[in-house]
């Protein structure tokens, strides 16, 4: 009977659909590659550390959270979820945590979980090289097909980086929808709880993150100084349902590490996740959608004209976490300046190393934005300081330059 | 609130961080309305200093200064004392102690006379040379004593502490009602080496005065060379030898770098000989002891300031370098590394890491510029007011415990 109510509510437009998307990503962290290593060895990545991090996150988050999601999918036929998993994360799962990859495959087999398309290397190529961007998106699409047996139609860019130009590129690549941050300065009086299009991409549906509700889970869940602590599934379900009649879709977008890593198991985050779908479904006007279903179901409520680059990072929701200081800009410019030479080398190892260096985390580690206040950036930084992050990175870039020159010499000789 | 303080002459009359710290704290306390009777060892042999702004302590409000003629100087070793004693004029020999420890006791006796005739609430003594004076004052007045540890004998002499100095330090710490350490690093040394319970020690980090930034014309040297700077006493504690060994590695990779050592000290002859031996005679330059604006000029001409100290209880110089917009590389064995982040850090003994970081700063303008910008922004938040506020809290706590 509840299903009938839902159908009726949908007809009247007072229903709200909930769209979960979880980001799964791990970078290939660099080791402390010294200036004295340059030209002597090409061993850039900290395998031990990468293995340790992947094992930890698989145990604390991917495996237990996937078990809960699988359970929820069995228990509630209406439940849906979407994931975007970077190519670098998949590669590390293959190497260090095959059971985690297997648990994602099980989710895919339910047919109710959508896998999104992104740049394979979780890169900033959308800003620096359109050809490299398309190559990485295609490589990622291929990988999703191989791993999960579905062809992704919806695109999510690294850190939800978005503007008109990216929308146009993605539309022309044949995607049906794209995810972005529901930034206040872009939306102004509008609600993130509708589908939009970008001025430059009329055929591409735009799904905007409801950052208040998303961050209630991702950031504030265990925050004891928060007025609404402790947050419970019934309380959250009420907040979501308050949008009934005033929106089509609530986009709850967050890092998957929210479950078990950013919010530890002891905070009750897994119990919350386990209880939430049933609470949401208690309201007869709620249901769940994947991003593809949302794009198909809802007409655009308007057109947004977004010239400046936006993202889901920090309070600024811009690119300053990756490209805010001179080190970051210099490092990324030198990286992309090598593009032509690297690709022409046709040396697969050099190409692979160069692409792993494109992962946005490397630039994030060089961030000095709130560094003096000892904020969240420090937590994620594997190096002693952003300055060291820059130093190791540039040493690697210089070594790649040497390898490229050696190749050239070989060709001439 | 009135404090009987055994301190040190302000820069430039006192060399090193001790005079700077005394100045900063006294000025901060003065601004908070704390009255201070400041007792200073005073020696006029060094005072032929020109081109410097002399800060007169007695011009500060709430501050009264009493100078006691003495040959004592900050961080003085027994050997340095003898040098000063023997080079003085003949009549001084009748007045001053025949060795450092006699002079410490003589200063303490003078302090006791002052302590008897004055009214005050607490006693605050800066570094070991004044601990005996503090103890003497406590004996006659029964007022609480705070000893302020700016360095320990273990910082100055490594693993070979002078047993007599150690004994004076330990007695001061034991007689004190509270101890102030300039860093967590120093607090750890006090607990470990002097057997003092941690709860008796409060950390009050040093700071830096915010002052108008004077920019000097770029040095001629900069037209042809990059410059890496060492600034401090050329003594075992400051690690000039590690600086030199790192310089040797760097100059093999980058030809046009000059390494400047600004300062004097007993290791200078060794460093000069070693530089020649390594073939660095034309790369390593010595400026002698710098004062006033010359210090800022040295920072500003440098592409990088390096503080490779073997043990640095705090290291105010690092803050001064950053305030001048100079990228800074400091040893991890320092107090200042607890409070600044926009700099590079290395173990003093890891010459390869120091060299690698020097090379990176010299080779990557973006690294240098980001360190300049973020470093000067970071130190612009430091203030002696915060340090003196913590001292005032300690005074209040001790008095409350007595009431």
């Amino acid at each position: 009977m509840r299903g009938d109510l839902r159908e009726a509510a949908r007809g009247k437009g007072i229903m709200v659909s909930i769209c979960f998307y979880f980001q799964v990503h791990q970078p290939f962290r660099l080791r402390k590659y010294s200036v004295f290593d340059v030209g002597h060895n090409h061993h850039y990545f900290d395998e031990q550390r990468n293995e340790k991090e992947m094992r930890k996150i698989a145990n604390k988050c991917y495996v237990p959270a996937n078990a809960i999601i699988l359970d929820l999918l069995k228990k509630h036929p209406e439940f849906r979820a979407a994931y975007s998993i970077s190519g670098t994360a998949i590669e590390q799962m293959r190497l260090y945590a095959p059971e985690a990859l297997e648990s994602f495959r099980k989710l895919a087999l339910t047919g109710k979980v959508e896998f999104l398309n992104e740049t394979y290397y979780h890169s900033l190529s959308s800003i620096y090289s359109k050809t490299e961007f398309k190559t990485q998106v295609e490589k990622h699409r291929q990988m999703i097909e191989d791993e999960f047996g579905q062809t992704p139609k919806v695109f999510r860019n690294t850190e939800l980086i978005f503007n008109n130009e990216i929308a146009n590129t993605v539309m022309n690549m044949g995607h049906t929808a794209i995810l972005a941050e529901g930034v206040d300065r872009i939306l102004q009086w509008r609600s993130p709880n509708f589908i939009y299009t970008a001025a430059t991409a009329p055929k591409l549906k735009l799904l905007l993150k409801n950052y208040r509700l998303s961050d209630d889970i991702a950031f504030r869940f265990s925050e004891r100084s928060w007025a609404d602590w402790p947050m419970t599934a019934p309380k959250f379900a009420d907040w979501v349902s308050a949008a009934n009649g005033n929106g089509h879709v609530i986009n709850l977008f967050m890092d998957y590490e929210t479950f078990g890593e950013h919010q530890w198991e002891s905070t009750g985050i897994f119990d919350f996740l386990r209880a939430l779908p049933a609470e949401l479904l208690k309201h007869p006007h709620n249901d769940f959608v994947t991003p593809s279903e949302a794009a198909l179901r809802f007409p655009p409520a308007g057109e947004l004209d977004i010239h400046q680059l936006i993202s889901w990072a920090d309070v600024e929701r811009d690119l300053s976490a990756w490209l805010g200081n001179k080190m970051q800009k210099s490092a990324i410019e030198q990286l992309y300046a090598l593009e032509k030479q690297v690709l022409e080398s046709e040396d697969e190892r050099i190409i692979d190393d160069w692409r792993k260096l494109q992962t946005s985390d490397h630039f994030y580690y060089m961030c000095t934005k709130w560094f003096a206040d000892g904020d969240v950036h420090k937590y994620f930084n594997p190096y002693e300081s952003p300055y060291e992050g820059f130093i190791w990175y540039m040493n690697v870039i210089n070594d790649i330059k040497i390898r490229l020159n050696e190749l050239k010499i070989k060709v001439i000789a | 609130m009135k404090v009987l303080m055994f301190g040190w002459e302000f820069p430039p009359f006192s060399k090193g961080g001790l005079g700077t710290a005394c100045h900063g704290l006294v000025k901060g306390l003065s601004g908070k309305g704390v009255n201070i009777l400041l007792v200073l060892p005073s020696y006029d042999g060094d005072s032929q200093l020109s081109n410097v702004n002399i800060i007169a302590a007695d011009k500060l409000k709430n501050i009264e200064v009493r100078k006691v003629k003495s040959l004592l100087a900050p961080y003085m070793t027994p050997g340095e004392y003898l040098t000063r004693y023997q080079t003085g004029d003949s009549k001084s020999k009748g007045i001053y102690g025949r060795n450092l420890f006699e002079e410490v006791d003589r200063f303490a006796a003078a302090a006791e006379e002052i302590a008897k005739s004055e009214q005050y609430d607490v006693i605050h003594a800066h570094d070991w040379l004044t601990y005996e004076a503090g103890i003497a004052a406590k004996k006659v007045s029964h007022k609480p004593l705070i000893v302020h540890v700016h360095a320990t004998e273990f910082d100055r002499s490594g693993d070979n502490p002078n047993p007599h100095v150690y004994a004076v330090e330990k007695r001061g710490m034991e007689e004190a009602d509270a101890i102030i350490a300039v860093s967590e690093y120093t607090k750890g040394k006090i607990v470990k080496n002097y057997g003092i319970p941690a709860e008796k020690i409060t950390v009050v980090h040093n700071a830096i005065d915010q002052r108008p930034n004077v920019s000097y014309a770029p040095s001629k040297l900069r037209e042809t060379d990059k410059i890496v700077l060492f600034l401090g006493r050329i003594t075992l504690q400051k690690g000039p030898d590690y600086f030199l060994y790192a310089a040797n590695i760097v100059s093999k990779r980058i030809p046009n770098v000059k390494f400047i050592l600004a300062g004097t000290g007993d290791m200078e002859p060794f460093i000069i000989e070693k530089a020649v031996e390594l073939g660095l005679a034309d790369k390593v330059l010595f400026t002698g002891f710098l004062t006033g604006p010359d210090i800022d000029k040295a920072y500003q001409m440098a592409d990088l300031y390096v503080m490779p100290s073997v043990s640095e209880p705090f290291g105010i110089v690092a803050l001064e370098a950053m305030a001048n917009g100079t990228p800074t590389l400091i040893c991890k064995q320092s107090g200042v590394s607890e409070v600044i982040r926009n700099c590079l850090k290395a173990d003093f003994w890891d010459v390869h890491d120091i060299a690698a970081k020097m090379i990176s700063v010299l080779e990557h303008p973006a690294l240098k510029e980001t360190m300049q910008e973020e470093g000067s922004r970071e130190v612009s938040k430091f203030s002696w007011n915060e340090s003196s506020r913590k001292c005032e809290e300690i005074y209040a706590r001790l008095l409350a415990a007595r009431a």
Side-chain angles (χ1 to χ4, degrees):
Chain A
M1 115 132 198
R2 204 163 257 156
D4 297 342
L5 270 178
R6 243 173 226 122
E7 282 307 312
R10 187 177 295 159
K12 287 180 205 151
I14 57 165
M15 154 146 225
V16 68
S17 300
I18 294 120
C19 179
F20 274 114
Y21 138 66
F22 305 116
Q23 179 62 36
V24 176
H25 168 60
Q26 289 297 316
F28 282 93
R29 295 163 197 84
L30 296 175
R31 71 181 182 91
K32 294 185 177 182
Y33 184 81
S34 158
V35 70
F36 303 114
D37 289 318
V38 177
H40 295 286
N41 74 69
H42 317 310
H43 173 208
Y44 306 148
F45 301 102
D46 190 340
E47 274 113 25
Q48 262 182 316
R49 174 157 197 147
N50 291 328
E51 174 170 9
K52 204 180 108 202
E53 296 286 340
M54 176 48 82
R55 290 296 324 152
K56 189 178 82 168
I57 199 74
N59 288 333
K60 285 176 79 176
C61 168
Y62 303 158
V63 171
N66 282 353
I68 291 170
I69 297 287
L70 189 63
D71 208 40
L72 290 169
L73 288 163
K74 284 179 188 155
K75 209 183 280 173
H76 306 288
E78 306 92 331
F79 188 59
R80 299 285 185 278
Y83 292 86
S84 191
I85 313 181
S86 70
T88 52
I90 294 277
E91 281 188 29
Q92 292 191 54
M93 279 188 233
R94 284 183 197 140
L95 285 168
Y96 309 126
E99 78 283 11
L101 186 53
E102 188 50 41
S103 68
F104 281 112
R105 286 200 195 102
K106 278 192 189 134
L107 295 182
L109 286 174
T110 65
K112 293 171 183 176
V113 173
E114 179 173 8
F115 289 85
L116 310 183
N117 196 184
E118 65 171 291
T119 56
Y120 186 97
Y121 294 92
H122 198 274
S123 70
L124 303 174
S125 55
S126 59
I127 312 164
Y128 283 89
S129 165
K130 212 172 262 184
T131 49
E132 177 63 15
F133 174 69
K134 287 179 184 168
T135 306
Q136 289 190 19
V137 173
E138 174 54 26
K139 186 174 164 79
H140 185 264
R141 188 192 59 75
Q142 190 63 52
M143 182 204 68
I144 294 297
E145 282 182 8
D146 294 347
E147 290 291 344
F148 305 113
Q150 52 175 266
T151 303
K153 290 270 186 244
V154 173
F155 186 75
R156 88 104 224 182
N157 200 13
T158 305
E159 309 290 346
L160 298 194
I161 291 168
F162 182 86
N163 70 0
N164 283 340
E165 198 186 337
I166 292 169
N168 183 263
T169 306
V170 171
M171 179 185 74
N172 290 332
M173 290 166 74
H175 292 83
T176 60
I178 188 167
L179 313 189
E181 172 74 23
V183 181
D184 290 332
R185 62 177 182 273
I186 301 296
L187 280 168
Q188 295 175 354
W189 51 269
R190 303 177 192 89
S191 159
N193 305 337
F194 291 94
I195 301 270
Y196 294 87
T197 55
T200 51
K203 284 182 288 183
L204 187 73
K205 299 274 179 73
L206 181 54
L207 275 68
L208 299 176
K209 175 182 155 190
N210 183 314
Y211 73 81
R212 286 187 186 83
L213 287 168
S214 300
D215 294 351
D216 284 340
I217 301 175
F219 300 142
R220 287 181 284 273
F221 181 79
S222 61
E223 180 59 58
R224 281 165 184 264
S225 61
W226 180 34
D228 285 300
W229 188 89
M231 187 170 63
T232 60
K235 199 191 281 185
F236 189 79
D238 280 343
W239 294 345
V240 169
S241 305
N244 269 320
N246 186 27
H248 289 144
V249 59
I250 308 267
N251 293 312
L252 299 175
F253 298 170
M254 63 199 75
D255 281 328
Y256 205 29
E257 286 85 355
T258 298
F259 302 97
E261 170 69 13
H262 300 169
Q263 310 290 342
W264 290 358
E265 185 178 2
S266 60
T267 64
I269 190 74
F270 285 128
D271 297 330
F272 172 81
L273 179 61
R274 217 174 268 124
L276 186 59
E279 288 299 329
L280 288 166
L281 290 168
K282 275 184 190 165
H283 298 260
H285 295 165
N286 291 343
D287 75 349
F288 294 93
V289 286
T290 65
S292 281
E293 288 171 339
L296 206 62
R297 187 183 292 173
F298 304 113
E303 191 183 88
L304 298 176
D305 191 15
I306 305 177
H307 294 269
Q308 282 175 351
L309 289 159
I310 57 169
S311 83
W312 73 356
D314 304 337
V315 285
E316 294 91 339
R317 294 186 154 79
D318 58 12
L319 266 65
S320 54
W322 303 278
L323 301 169
N325 67 36
K326 288 179 178 162
M327 294 190 296
Q328 294 169 309
K329 285 176 196 149
S330 164
I332 201 162
E333 278 162 16
Q334 295 197 47
L335 172 79
Y336 281 104
L338 296 176
E339 178 176 355
K340 190 164 172 283
Q341 237 189 315
V342 166
L343 296 179
E344 281 173 1
S345 79
E346 293 179 5
D347 181 315
E348 292 208 2
R349 276 181 307 182
I350 292 181
I351 294 171
D352 185 55
D353 285 343
W354 177 72
R355 289 198 161 131
K356 283 175 179 159
L357 291 173
Q358 292 185 42
T359 300
S360 64
D361 304 62
H362 298 302
F363 307 101
Y364 196 74
Y365 300 148
M366 301 174 198
C367 177
T368 48
K369 203 163 42 162
W370 299 321
F371 184 63
D373 305 326
D375 76 330
V376 65
H377 288 256
K378 187 167 185 285
Y379 182 74
F380 297 109
N381 198 335
Y383 311 115
E384 283 178 34
S385 76
Y387 306 104
E388 300 219 351
F390 174 82
I391 290 172
W392 313 131
Y393 187 88
M394 290 310 297
N395 289 341
V396 171
I397 293 279
N398 283 333
D399 188 68
I400 288 187
K401 285 183 189 168
I402 290 173
R403 287 163 75 188
L404 290 168
N405 284 333
E406 281 171 357
L407 280 179
K408 238 194 274 174
I409 292 161
K410 258 185 226 161
V411 171
I412 295 163
Chain B
M1 169 85 70
K2 185 165 179 184
V3 183
L4 173 62
M5 186 177 282
F6 297 103
W8 296 92
E9 297 249 42
F10 297 165
F13 292 112
S14 272
K15 294 179 186 178
L18 190 48
T20 307
C22 283
H23 175 228
L25 289 172
V26 166
K27 210 173 69 170
L29 287 165
S30 143
K32 292 183 193 316
V34 175
N35 292 296
I36 300 177
L37 175 60
L38 183 59
V39 181
L40 305 171
S42 171
Y43 171 66
D44 49 16
D46 273 351
S47 63
Q48 327 302 351
L49 296 162
S50 56
N51 81 332
V52 289
N53 293 319
I54 290 160
I55 316 152
D58 39 14
K59 295 279 154 53
L60 293 169
K61 71 177 166 55
N62 310 322
I63 309 295
E64 190 190 332
V65 175
R66 219 48 85 70
K67 294 195 178 183
V68 175
K69 274 198 153 299
S70 169
L71 297 181
L72 296 180
Y75 315 113
M76 198 172 230
T77 62
E80 284 166 356
Y81 180 83
L82 283 183
T83 308
R84 186 177 267 196
Y85 178 71
Q86 281 153 4
T87 53
D89 50 38
S90 55
K91 71 174 184 213
S92 71
K93 300 218 161 68
I95 307 168
Y96 301 119
R98 282 165 300 168
N99 62 47
L100 181 61
F101 304 101
E102 269 190 33
E103 184 65 4
V104 163
D105 290 341
R106 203 187 60 82
F107 180 70
E112 188 177 330
E113 288 311 307
I114 296 169
K116 265 185 206 162
S117 59
E118 297 284 342
Q119 293 296 314
Y120 44 88
D121 303 298
V122 293
I123 308 157
H124 189 158
H126 291 279
D127 232 47
W128 80 272
L129 294 163
T130 70
Y131 290 173
E132 291 291 345
I135 293 168
K138 181 179 175 177
K139 231 167 232 152
V140 297
S141 66
H142 306 288
K143 298 293 182 186
L145 167 66
I146 298 140
V147 303
H148 199 132
V149 183
H150 294 264
T152 70
E153 181 61 6
F154 293 86
D155 301 305
R156 290 181 294 261
S157 62
D159 293 330
N160 296 304
N162 178 313
H164 199 147
V165 175
Y166 174 78
V168 175
E169 287 182 327
K170 190 164 175 4
R171 197 165 99 86
M173 293 172 192
E174 284 167 356
E175 295 288 326
D177 298 86
I179 296 170
I180 295 174
V182 290
S183 59
E184 294 291 342
Y185 173 76
T186 298
K187 179 176 176 173
K189 291 210 156 192
I190 297 170
V191 172
K192 179 171 164 258
N193 296 327
Y194 297 82
I196 303 293
E199 52 281 11
K200 191 171 168 179
I201 310 162
T202 307
V203 172
V204 177
H205 286 112
N206 285 332
I208 184 171
D209 262 332
Q210 300 305 324
R211 49 183 175 169
N213 207 354
V214 184
S215 294
Y216 296 97
S219 153
K220 278 270 176 206
L221 205 51
R222 290 291 299 267
E223 290 166 14
T224 50
D225 288 83
K226 301 209 168 187
I227 296 169
V228 181
L229 175 71
F230 171 101
L231 193 148
R233 282 172 292 130
I234 303 182
T235 60
L236 178 92
Q237 185 196 344
K238 301 294 178 179
D241 40 346
Y242 297 101
F243 180 78
L244 188 67
Y245 298 138
N248 188 36
I249 298 169
V250 174
S251 59
K252 288 196 176 114
R253 269 184 70 109
I254 316 178
N256 56 332
V257 187
K258 293 275 190 277
F259 299 87
I260 297 182
L261 288 99
T264 54
D266 56 13
M267 265 179 93
E268 203 173 329
F270 170 81
I271 297 294
I272 293 171
E273 279 169 33
K274 199 79 195 169
V276 172
E277 187 190 317
L278 292 168
L280 296 173
D282 60 332
K283 307 262 185 193
V284 178
L285 311 177
F286 295 84
T287 67
F289 180 71
L290 299 183
T291 55
D294 287 343
I295 296 175
D296 289 342
K297 278 183 199 163
Y299 288 131
Q300 289 180 22
M301 75 191 285
D303 294 276
L304 177 68
Y305 164 72
V306 184
M307 186 182 84
S309 303
V310 171
S311 185
E312 192 63 70
F314 187 79
I316 292 176
V317 272
L319 300 183
E320 288 173 347
M322 288 165 77
N324 274 283
T326 310
T328 297
L329 165 57
I330 60 172
C331 60
K332 292 180 184 171
Q333 292 72 19
S334 68
V336 73
S337 69
E338 295 162 16
V339 291
I340 53 170
R341 300 180 120 161
N342 289 288
C343 63
L344 290 168
K345 299 176 188 181
D347 287 307
F348 73 87
W349 45 262
D350 194 346
V351 175
H352 269 86
D353 193 33
I354 293 172
K357 284 170 178 162
M358 286 177 175
I359 290 165
S360 296
V361 174
L362 298 176
E363 286 187 344
H364 299 297
L367 174 62
K368 187 185 151 185
E369 286 163 26
T370 309
M371 290 182 72
Q372 286 174 322
E373 286 164 19
E374 298 297 329
S376 52
R377 182 180 311 161
E378 183 174 16
V379 294
S380 72
K381 291 176 191 146
F382 281 78
S383 158
W384 281 109
N385 281 334
E386 179 59 14
S387 313
S388 48
R389 186 187 62 74
K390 286 180 185 159
C391 289
E392 203 185 358
E393 271 175 22
I394 295 165
Y395 303 156
R397 197 182 70 216
L398 290 176
L399 291 178
R402 295 245 167 148

